Amino acid sequence: MHLARFPRVRLGHLPTPLEAMPNLSKLLGGPNLYVKRDDCTGLSSGGNKTRKLEFLMADALQKGADTVITQGAVQSNHARQTAAAAAKLGLKCQILLENRTGSNAVDYCGSGNVLLDHLHGAPTRMFPGGTDMNAAMEKVADEVRAKGGKPYVIVGGGSNAIGALGYVNCAIELVAQANDMNLRIDHLVHATGSAGTQAGLVAGLEGLRSHIPVLGIGVRAPRPQQEENVYKLACLTADHMDMSGCVARERVVANCDYVGAGYGIPTDGMIEAINILARTEAILLDPVYSGKGMAGLIDLCRKGHFKKTDNVVFLHTGGSVALFGYNGIFEPTRPN
Ligand SMILES: *Cc1c(COP(=O)(O)O)cnc(C)c1O
């Protein structure tokens, strides 16, 4: 796997740290938990979309684009990192936000990621949940072309074979770090949504023949659909790297038991996980992805899903800025 063959612009502070979480490991009574800090990629408060955007924005520049267009949920970390990347590279950015939760709360619609989209100079347009967002992006692309601009449309979450290269890169980086630390990784766990993160990781880890199993904790789709989405994209990513056939279907595993009522809708487990991580490791998770991913990991640890001697790495995909869009769900700590 030779990623330098693909166009890339540097946007992230890489490599991100790989750290132990001794306090959380102790609280749960094992396994040995570690965290790969992709919340620290640096671009506009960081997150997993930065790695994908290194390859997507390079492709946009190579194609002569002057405007990038993308879409996501209202509190989209992907939209915010795209707006930031565009600002840094001198491109215009148009953002389309789908109100999947139906919330009209002031914080949800104006703070957190939305505030940062605007700070980075990207106009946002809101659409009701269920809108055909790909069609909506094509309409905006036509508007840009009509004004003489050159649009580049980035799919939701940056999840195509180009964006997923960012997580092939993460797989290479993680294995190198673990080898340096003499850390045997028994499991890698992370939140999975639009599938590009898990697809890139699985393609990369399988391409390296690392034998590290990946578990995606779903935040939206039911398990069969999520696994199918990840598997398809992992195969496309392997094809894109000229490594067709390196991903076996059974290497794509998702657990979608922690979604709750739906995408972006709080669960008790998510709130508990955010509180625990903030108070044991001083790590900030987010309500939509990493909070539910960690809720899944904590529950699986409590249920004895892992061996006590296992080394389990949680990939922190970022998103803590969205905490400010979900202000009301956390109880203040009372003085006693
Ligand atoms: C987008 C996102 C994810 C999910 O990554 P996908 O590549 O879309 O599956 C996880 N965590 C955070 C914080 C995200 O913003």
Side-chain angles (χ1 to χ4, degrees):
M1 278 182 301
H2 191 23
L3 286 180
R5 289 202 187 108
F6 300 94
R8 176 178 174 194
V9 286
R10 296 300 173 118
L11 295 168
H13 298 173
L14 305 180
T16 59
L18 174 59
E19 299 171 335
M21 294 194 286
N23 302 331
L24 181 64
S25 307
K26 194 169 162 217
L27 181 80
L28 297 173
N32 303 312
L33 297 167
Y34 291 80
V35 58
K36 172 69 172 157
R37 298 293 303 269
D38 272 16
D39 57 323
C40 299
T41 54
L43 182 71
S44 182
S45 83
N48 64 338
K49 304 314 181 302
T50 301
R51 288 187 190 270
K52 301 179 183 182
L53 287 163
E54 291 196 326
F55 293 92
L56 290 162
M57 296 304 260
D59 189 47
L61 290 173
Q62 200 178 54
K63 291 185 169 140
D66 62 11
T67 306
V68 292
I69 300 166
T70 200
Q71 62 98 2
V74 174
Q75 282 296 332
S76 169
N77 303 299
H78 164 68
R80 179 250 309 160
Q81 285 163 88
T82 304
K88 190 165 165 76
L89 298 170
L91 301 176
K92 285 179 261 184
C93 179
Q94 299 256 5
I95 289 175
L96 287 68
L97 300 176
E98 179 193 3
N99 198 341
R100 293 179 199 162
T101 66
S103 167
N104 293 315
V106 177
D107 288 339
Y108 186 74
C109 296
S111 187
N113 283 298
V114 184
L115 173 75
L116 298 189
D117 295 340
H118 296 159
L119 271 182
H120 291 304
T124 54
R125 312 181 201 198
M126 287 270 204
F127 296 81
T131 302
D132 181 344
M133 297 301 283
N134 289 327
M137 286 200 291
E138 282 310 320
K139 253 177 92 176
V140 175
D142 286 340
E143 284 171 29
V144 170
R145 275 187 284 265
K147 289 186 187 146
K150 197 131 195 268
Y152 182 88
V153 173
I154 299 178
V155 292
S159 286
N160 58 22
I162 296 172
L165 291 178
Y167 272 86
V168 173
N169 183 39
C170 182
I172 296 169
E173 184 180 300
L174 178 66
V175 169
Q177 278 174 318
N179 287 342
D180 277 349
M181 292 162 68
N182 201 20
L183 173 70
R184 182 199 72 240
I185 300 175
D186 297 303
H187 296 274
L188 177 61
V189 179
H190 69 94
T192 178
S194 66
T197 300
Q198 190 170 3
L201 285 173
V202 172
L205 291 171
E206 291 303 292
L208 290 169
R209 299 177 197 262
S210 70
H211 307 294
I212 298 174
V214 179
L215 174 62
I217 307 287
V219 299
R220 190 176 190 186
R223 177 175 173 171
Q225 192 191 327
Q226 188 64 24
E227 289 186 348
E228 197 50 37
N229 293 348
V230 173
Y231 177 61
K232 268 192 197 146
L233 185 51
C235 291
L236 287 173
T237 307
D239 293 347
H240 189 55
M241 293 188 297
D242 252 333
M243 295 190 344
S244 298
C246 77
V247 180
R249 173 64 185 81
E250 64 270 17
R251 301 301 285 171
V252 174
V253 182
N255 178 331
C256 299
D257 295 345
Y258 302 93
V259 178
Y263 175 89
I265 299 177
T267 62
D268 291 346
M270 173 275 285
I271 292 170
E272 186 200 21
I274 288 180
N275 277 312
I276 288 177
L277 266 286
R279 290 165 197 205
T280 57
E281 298 291 347
I283 287 174
L284 299 175
L285 300 173
D286 83 277
V288 181
Y289 296 95
S290 55
K292 287 185 181 175
M294 182 55 79
L297 176 57
I298 289 173
D299 188 54
L300 291 171
C301 290
R302 285 174 175 158
K303 283 179 173 158
H305 176 84
F306 305 104
K307 288 195 216 104
K308 294 289 180 198
T309 51
D310 278 349
N311 298 317
V312 180
V313 176
F314 180 73
L315 172 69
H316 189 336
T317 43
S320 63
V321 162
L323 287 170
F324 302 101
Y326 281 79
N327 218 347
I329 64 174
F330 299 99
E331 298 270 345
T333 305
R334 289 177 215 292
N336 50 19

